[in-house]
Amino acid sequence: MLKIGTLDAGMRLQATMELGVSGTLLLVALISLILYFFTWRRNLKNKKLPPGPPPLPLLGTMLHVSTKEMPQSLMKLSETYGPVFTIYLAHLPAVVLVGHDCVKEALVDNGNMFSGRGHFEMSNILTNDCGVAFTNGERWKQLRRFTLATLRNFGMGKKSIEERLQEEARYLMEEIEKTGGTSFDPTHMLTLAVSNVICSIVFGERFDYEDVKFKTLVSLLKEMVLLMSSTWGMVTSQCLSQDLQHCSRTPPKDIFTHIEKLKVFVFESLKSHKATFDPNCPRDFIDFFLIKMEEEKNNPKTEFHSDNLFGTVMDLFFAGTDTTSTVLRYGLLYLLKYPEVEGKIHEEIDGVIGQNRCPSVEDRVQMPYTDAFIHETLRCADITPMGVIRSTVEETTFRGYHLPKDIIIFPMLTSALKDHKWFKNPEKFDPTNFLNDDGSFRKNEAFVPFSLGKRSCIGESLARMEIFLYLTTILQRYNLKSVLDPEDIEITPEPNKNGMLPRTYQMYVIPR
């Protein structure tokens, strides 16, 4: 009995000691958490950043910002905290700029200070932080300068590229003709038409619309865009430092498979170019880049190497395909919704172009209503509502607030495009936003769909040409009809896609 009693006492003592150890560890953890919290709060106060919703340790302000409708939630926060406020992506601060005046003051008036590109985790997945779109410093400067010059050599904004666009518009008409008056979703054919233009510039060839490899490539691109506009895409795109990269380690199914297939296509094209390369007769963007690589092969610090070639090609292909085709989808949707707008454009086409020749970019100056419609389409489509992530390149003061070097900046382009100070009824689609009382075209300073300053869109002039030529070519030949009554057509963006994508729709055409 004594031994049993002694054993019970020993077990109770051991249990008490274990509880004591556990309690001590729990107490230490609690004290550590409290110390971390107060240290974290003190560090926040010391930064003297713009005001914003109260962040939580580790979570930041994610309870105040929707990852499904992030632009709208940020605009809502600006009603409380003003045109300059701070949110936290986990523990990292990001400053949000709202309103045209505020965005312009940062990106134009203080353009040098705000010319950095914030770390974009998706670009690391796609291009290993190479290329022109998401890089900084000397790499970005050299590649942007080279890319702009090369695109101009291929006639971007000039007659030579216009002829390519007119040719592609004819192929697009053939594709529409195949529908035979039945209803169709224009998404795929518009994407093929737009993608073929950038393919001809970058890869030196256009593809037949039935080409299996080309259709697969465009489908992969579409899937990537859908993923980017999803909650996962928004969360991943806001991963701004190495310690947050874990959020990209649980991607949707097949994301890396899609990326690898895209890379295979580009690498196969690069390999083919190198095998047939003639420096005396450059055929496309890739050839010009190869020439530059050869010129700088003995420069150990050169930015013209294979990784940056691949990254820049990927940047051009993505930017040159998705954004323009999305604007065209919105344009056709608005025409279906507002048949009276289509009627006015038909009048201008008949009076300026007629039916006996192809539309030309030069026609635009004589077609103010059509030009106003395209501007209003770009404004209301609003396909990059948060702009593309920026950062400060130096410590600076902006509107009385201290901003450290490399802090993330979100220039809310949507707030400029829908600024009540610059547009009457900005939530309503209305081409007269860009027309004077006499019907002439009127510019608007807050029209910034391609962003502002040193980081504005490289392909802006090409996109403007494509949108004008494709839309006028379609309307020259056809009347557009929806399978729904106009009043039943929904023109708001696809919900829970962060305001980036139009809803799918069916239409049919009637020859004029």
Side-chain angles (χ1 to χ4, degrees):
M1 291 293 293
L2 180 60
K3 290 182 179 180
I4 294 176
T6 303
L7 181 61
D8 288 343
M11 292 176 66
R12 287 196 295 271
L13 178 61
Q14 182 179 357
T16 302
M17 292 176 64
E18 289 177 353
L19 287 172
V21 171
S22 299
T24 301
L25 292 175
L26 182 61
L27 180 62
V28 169
L30 182 61
I31 292 173
S32 298
L33 185 61
I34 292 172
L35 289 174
Y36 167 79
F37 176 77
F38 282 106
T39 301
W40 175 77
R41 293 290 296 179
R42 185 173 62 251
N43 289 338
L44 288 185
K45 292 179 180 179
N46 290 339
K47 289 180 178 179
K48 299 180 181 178
L49 292 171
L56 294 172
L58 303 178
L59 296 178
T61 52
M62 66 178 298
L63 298 181
H64 301 271
V65 179
S66 168
T67 55
K68 293 182 177 181
E69 299 289 355
M70 192 168 183
Q72 293 91 325
S73 62
L74 292 179
M75 290 299 297
K76 187 70 177 176
L77 286 173
S78 72
E79 297 175 8
T80 301
Y81 298 103
V84 185
F85 64 93
T86 305
I87 61 173
Y88 281 81
L89 310 168
H91 69 282
L92 292 174
V95 173
V96 183
L97 308 179
V98 175
H100 169 66
D101 294 346
C102 183
V103 172
K104 177 180 176 292
E105 184 179 341
L107 303 191
V108 178
D109 301 343
N110 296 278
N112 288 330
M113 291 296 184
F114 289 86
S115 63
R117 180 69 79 208
H119 180 80
F120 189 68
E121 183 58 26
M122 183 57 73
S123 74
N124 188 46
I125 296 173
L126 288 172
T127 63
N128 196 28
D129 284 336
C130 291
V132 66
F134 301 106
T135 51
N136 284 300
E138 197 61 29
R139 171 170 294 180
W140 165 68
K141 291 178 183 178
Q142 290 190 34
L143 293 177
R144 181 179 173 88
R145 190 182 308 121
F146 170 83
T147 301
L148 281 170
T150 303
L151 291 176
R152 291 192 188 104
N153 285 337
F154 280 99
M156 188 174 72
K158 300 179 183 177
K159 194 70 177 178
S160 55
I161 196 65
E162 179 179 12
E163 292 172 355
R164 295 191 190 196
L165 291 170
Q166 289 170 331
E167 178 188 22
E168 195 59 47
R170 288 192 290 271
Y171 286 115
L172 176 59
M173 294 306 100
E174 293 177 5
E175 199 67 15
I176 292 176
E177 193 70 26
K178 292 178 183 178
T179 63
T182 60
S183 62
F184 63 96
D185 180 346
T187 301
H188 189 60
M189 63 179 67
L190 290 175
T191 305
L192 294 173
V194 172
S195 185
N196 250 336
V197 174
I198 199 65
C199 282
S200 67
I201 294 172
V202 175
F203 303 114
E205 59 178 324
R206 72 168 301 278
F207 297 91
D208 185 87
Y209 287 6
E210 298 302 319
D211 184 281
V212 175
K213 183 169 68 172
F214 183 46
K215 291 172 70 173
T216 301
L217 183 69
V218 171
S219 295
L220 289 171
L221 179 63
K222 179 183 177 182
E223 290 297 320
M224 292 294 294
V225 171
L226 289 173
L227 289 169
M228 286 295 294
S229 63
S230 69
T231 297
W232 175 85
M234 289 303 293
V235 171
T236 301
S237 70
Q238 311 315 325
C239 291
L240 307 175
S241 70
Q242 297 298 316
D243 61 338
L244 292 180
Q245 287 184 11
H246 64 274
C247 74
S248 65
R249 291 176 185 165
T250 55
K253 184 179 179 181
D254 295 334
I255 178 66
F256 290 114
T257 302
H258 292 344
I259 293 172
E260 287 307 312
K261 288 180 179 179
L262 286 169
K263 288 182 177 180
V264 167
F265 177 87
V266 174
F267 277 125
E268 285 179 352
S269 183
L270 296 180
K271 184 178 179 181
S272 174
H273 273 73
K274 290 177 180 179
T276 58
F277 174 57
D278 180 359
N280 297 314
C281 187
R283 300 158 292 186
D284 47 41
F285 180 87
I286 291 175
D287 277 356
F288 274 97
F289 203 104
L290 292 173
I291 291 172
K292 191 69 173 178
M293 286 173 60
E294 180 65 22
E295 291 174 355
E296 297 206 2
K297 64 181 180 181
N298 295 321
N299 177 5
K301 296 183 178 180
T302 183
E303 294 295 347
F304 295 91
H305 49 70
S306 296
D307 288 343
N308 273 334
L309 171 55
F310 172 76
T312 304
V313 167
M314 289 286 282
D315 289 339
L316 291 173
F317 181 68
F318 265 88
T321 297
D322 174 62
T323 53
T324 303
S325 62
T326 300
V327 172
L328 286 168
R329 287 167 59 195
Y330 267 117
L332 295 180
L333 182 61
Y334 296 147
L335 291 169
L336 295 171
K337 177 71 173 178
Y338 304 108
E340 69 279 8
V341 172
E342 180 187 359
K344 293 179 181 179
I345 296 175
H346 277 149
E347 290 178 8
E348 281 195 335
I349 289 174
D350 294 342
V352 176
I353 304 171
Q355 295 292 322
N356 298 320
R357 67 173 177 85
C358 296
S360 168
V361 173
E362 293 178 353
D363 297 324
R364 184 166 52 193
V365 296
Q366 300 179 64
M367 301 172 67
Y369 189 86
T370 303
D371 202 8
F373 164 75
I374 291 173
H375 277 70
E376 184 69 352
T377 296
L378 282 160
R379 186 188 75 83
C380 290
D382 191 14
I383 59 174
T384 53
M386 294 172 59
V388 183
I389 191 170
R390 298 284 189 102
S391 67
T392 52
V393 297
E394 295 179 19
E395 183 179 322
T396 187
T397 299
F398 182 74
R399 293 199 168 191
Y401 298 110
H402 172 260
L403 303 183
K405 180 183 177 182
D406 296 328
I407 193 170
I408 299 308
I409 304 293
F410 288 124
M412 300 295 290
L413 299 187
T414 187
S415 67
L417 295 172
K418 294 180 172 63
D419 195 324
H420 286 264
K421 178 181 176 181
W422 294 90
F423 298 99
K424 57 181 181 181
N425 301 320
E427 302 301 326
K428 180 182 177 182
F429 183 86
D430 183 3
T432 63
N433 276 314
F434 296 94
L435 292 172
N436 294 309
D437 292 339
D438 62 359
S440 59
F441 182 78
R442 180 178 72 229
K443 293 183 178 180
N444 191 310
E445 184 180 317
F447 178 73
V448 293
F450 300 98
S451 194
L452 290 165
K454 297 177 180 294
R455 286 281 188 169
S456 61
C457 176
I458 290 178
E460 176 178 350
S461 60
L462 176 62
R464 286 174 176 266
M465 292 175 71
E466 286 182 281
I467 295 167
F468 177 80
L469 290 176
Y470 286 164
L471 285 177
T472 52
T473 300
I474 292 172
L475 293 175
Q476 182 187 42
R477 295 196 184 189
Y478 299 110
N479 290 303
L480 310 182
K481 299 294 180 182
S482 172
V483 298
L484 302 174
D485 291 332
E487 58 268 23
D488 295 328
I489 296 174
E490 182 58 71
I491 60 174
T492 57
E494 191 75 36
N496 300 323
K497 296 296 183 182
N498 288 292
M500 298 178 182
L501 300 176
R503 298 169 187 257
T504 57
Y505 58 91
Q506 291 283 319
M507 60 175 284
Y508 60 96
V509 296
I510 300 173
R512 297 186 65 205

